[in-house]
């Protein structure tokens, strides 16, 4: 589950993105965070031509997936 929120600074044409995640208990959070940060920055730049200053990722919960 992913919740996104972004803040746009019209003066400098930059965006700060805040992401809240619920992940599986076996998720490697560091790898997931780096991958998501890069994908979000690239996609925002590609679709809006705006720069992303930072992507802040918060893991709200890690849950054990049911088999």
């Amino acid at each position: 589950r992913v919740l996104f929120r972004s803040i746009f600074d019209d003066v400098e044409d930059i965006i700060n993105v805040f992401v809240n995640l619920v992940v599986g208990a076996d998720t490697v959070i560091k790898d997931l965070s780096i991958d998501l940060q890069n994908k979000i920055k690239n996609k925002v730049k590609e679709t809006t031509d705006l720069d992303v200053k930072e992507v802040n990722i918060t893991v709200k919960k890690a849950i054990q997936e049911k088999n």
Side-chain angles (χ1 to χ4, degrees), residues 50-67:
L50 297 172
D51 291 317
V52 175
K53 181 178 179 183
E54 56 187 15
V55 176
N56 295 294
I57 296 177
T58 303
V59 176
K60 292 291 188 180
K61 189 188 303 186
I63 58 173
Q64 187 67 39
E65 296 180 17
K66 297 177 184 176
N67 293 337

Side-chain angles (χ1 to χ4, degrees), residues 40-50:
I40 290 168
K41 284 181 181 182
N42 292 336
K43 192 54 132 175
V44 169
K45 181 67 174 174
E46 176 186 311
T47 58
T48 66
D49 201 34
L50 297 172

Side-chain angles (χ1 to χ4, degrees), residues 23 32 45:
V23 299
L32 175 64
K45 181 67 174 174

Side-chain angles (χ1 to χ4, degrees), residues 30-40:
K30 182 178 179 180
D31 294 343
L32 175 64
S33 296
I34 292 169
D35 185 48
L36 277 177
Q37 286 172 329
N38 290 330
K39 286 180 178 178
I40 290 168

